[in-house]
């Protein structure tokens, strides 16, 4: 079943095209790639797929919902992980987990347990990995159908499936050819 | 989705230690201002001053950086729902300004009349609601919203001088506040949180 679909989606600002039109299809259990020439464009493309940034042209659908017309319904199905990760200590992480449990109306105790389990399994030794792992754990607080990962590391990609087996994963990356060679994608994507 | 639960969570998120400290500092500073100037300011000027301070305070850049964070826009809420939730804490925080002034004036022995205090509270609230839209704009456009907020404050302050002044001020505040909140919701719905280059 298709979860995330982009049709000719592009993004421009002040007349300058930042993300060229791209198509994308990600079904349940798939990993789809959005490759962009710069980190800035990759982040914007990822945010477009999560319904956070509205495409200037084209459309992005999450489930049956168009992200421009029905943003809350679309965002309810997506977990988004920003490239910068979650910039906060353990206490801030616990507070943010409780906060998200309230916003997404899920059980707070389950959310804490799940977030801690994801973080413990995914976090690496260095602070950058830990920040990203916290953001990933927070994105998985609600029960999502798709996960949009902004420039994840190989380690994150390898481990995220254990916690989101049937979830469609859309990931952004900087550089086109190198990534396609290095990472086999179940659903190749034109960019 | 339980909208009330989400709204309460967002309000609680905003009401933190920094909020309490800001509230206390504004209360004390306006208390000093009220203590020093209450005998000379009269009843209209304090309403304008309180509103103007509330407008500039709501538009402060540190606040803007927080509200522009991508995580707010990943939440499954419409712009208008997010606007309501974001507006509650700043409006509550702005109460420190008229209440602080009134306390200072009372301590000086020149009590701020209840009608003027109500007007100041209404003016501060409307100023915050208008000024919040400036948070998602930069430069001249941001300053324009602060200017509009001060203009709204002036209408409320002078509305009080008319016969049935409080009713007129309250009506003006209600209308201006309604449209300001709608505009803030539209602003949030249209805003695209672009990462830093």
């Amino acid at each position: 079943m298709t979860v995330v679909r982009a049709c000719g989606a592009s993004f421009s600002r002040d007349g300058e095209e930042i993300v060229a039109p791209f198509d994308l299809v990600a079904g349940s259990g798939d990993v789809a790639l959005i490759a962009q020439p710069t980190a800035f464009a990759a982040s914007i493309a990822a945010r477009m797929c999560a319904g956070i940034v509205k495409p200037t042209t084209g459309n992005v659908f999450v489930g049956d919902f168009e992200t421009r017309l029905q943003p809350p319904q679309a965002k309810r199905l997506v977990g988004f992980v920003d490239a910068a990760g979650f910039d906060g200590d353990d206490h801030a992480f616990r507070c943010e987990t409780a906060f998200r449990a309230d916003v997404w109306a899920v059980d707070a105790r389950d959310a804490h347990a799940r977030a801690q389990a994801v973080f413990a399994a995914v976090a690496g030794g260095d602070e950058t990995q830990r920040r990203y792992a916290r953001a990933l754990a927070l994105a998985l607080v609600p029960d999502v159908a798709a996960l949009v990962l902004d420039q994840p590391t190989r380690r994150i990609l390898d481990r995220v499936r254990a916690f989101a087996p049937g979830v469609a994963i859309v990931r952004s990356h900087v550089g086109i050819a190198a990534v396609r060679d290095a990472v086999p994608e179940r659903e190749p994507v034109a960019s | 989705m339980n909208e009330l639960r989400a709204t309460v969570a967002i309000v609680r998120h905003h009401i933190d230690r920094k909020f309490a400290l800001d509230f206390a500092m504004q209360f004390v500073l306006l208390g000093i201002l009220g203590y020093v100037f209450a005998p000379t300011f009269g009843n209209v000027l304090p309403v304008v001053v309180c509103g103007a301070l509330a407008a500039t305070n709501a538009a402060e850049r540190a606040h803007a950086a927080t509200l522009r964070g991508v995580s707010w826009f990943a939440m499954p809420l419409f712009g208008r729902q997010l606007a309501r939730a974001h507006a509650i804490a700043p409006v509550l925080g702005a109460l420190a300004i008229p209440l602080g002034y009134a306390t200072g004036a009372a301590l000086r022995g020149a009590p701020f009349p209840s009608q003027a205090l109500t007007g100041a509270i209404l003016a501060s609230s409307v100023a915050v609601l208008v000024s919040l839209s400036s948070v998602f704009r930069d430069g001249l456009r941001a300053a324009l919203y602060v200017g509009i907020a001060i203009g709204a404050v002036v209408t409320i302050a002078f509305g009080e001088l008319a016969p049935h002044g409080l009713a007129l001020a309250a009506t003006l505040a209600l209308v201006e506040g309604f449209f300001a909140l709608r505009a803030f919701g539209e602003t949030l719905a249209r805003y695209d949180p672009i990462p830093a280059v």
Side-chain angles (χ1 to χ4, degrees), chain A residues 11 13 40 43-44 47 52-54 72-73 75-76 80 82 96 99-106, chain B residues 1-2 5-6 9-10 13 70-78 189-195 197:
Chain A
F11 184 81
R13 189 174 58 171
F40 183 58
S43 283
I44 291 175
R47 288 171 193 212
I52 295 168
V53 169
K54 293 167 283 298
Q73 289 88 342
K75 288 174 192 173
R76 190 151 180 75
F80 172 72
D82 188 46
E96 184 71 16
F99 171 62
R100 289 194 183 212
D102 281 337
V103 171
W104 269 268
V106 297
Chain B
M1 171 61 57
N2 183 338
R5 188 179 169 188
I10 292 169
H13 195 277
V70 68
S71 65
W72 296 114
F73 296 90
M75 294 191 300
L77 297 170
F78 281 108
R190 287 163 186 250
Y191 184 72
D192 285 320
I194 304 298
V197 182

Side-chain angles (χ1 to χ4, degrees), chain A residues 36-122:
Chain A
Q36 292 291 325
T38 64
F40 183 58
S43 283
I44 291 175
R47 288 171 193 212
M48 286 163 70
C49 290
I52 295 168
V53 169
K54 293 167 283 298
T56 308
T57 62
N59 306 92
V60 176
F61 295 88
V62 181
D64 295 329
F65 306 111
E66 210 269 354
T67 56
R68 234 182 332 223
L69 299 176
Q70 296 156 295
Q73 289 88 342
K75 288 174 192 173
R76 190 151 180 75
L77 299 174
V78 185
F80 172 72
V81 184
D82 188 46
F86 177 72
D87 188 17
D89 59 10
D90 286 339
H91 175 70
F93 176 58
R94 282 195 298 276
C95 292
E96 184 71 16
T97 306
F99 171 62
R100 289 194 183 212
D102 281 337
V103 171
W104 269 268
V106 297
D107 183 77
R109 199 172 295 174
D110 288 351
H112 275 294
R114 187 173 162 86
Q116 291 295 343
V118 173
F119 176 68
V122 175

Side-chain angles (χ1 to χ4, degrees), chain A residues 52 55 59 126 136 149-150 177 181 185 189:
Chain A
I52 295 168
N59 306 92
D126 68 288
L136 177 64
L149 307 176
D150 186 9
D181 292 343
E185 305 288 345
V189 176

Side-chain angles (χ1 to χ4, degrees), chain B residues 56-120:
Chain B
T56 50
N57 191 35
E60 63 153 330
R61 295 289 95 187
H63 189 225
T66 309
L67 289 187
R68 288 183 184 196
V70 68
S71 65
W72 296 114
F73 296 90
M75 294 191 300
L77 297 170
F78 281 108
R80 61 177 185 273
Q81 296 170 323
L82 196 55
R84 281 197 290 267
H86 275 328
I88 291 170
V91 167
L92 289 175
L95 290 178
I97 294 171
L99 293 178
Y101 183 87
T103 305
L107 289 174
R108 180 67 186 266
F112 200 37
S114 59
Q115 180 170 334
L117 176 60
T118 309

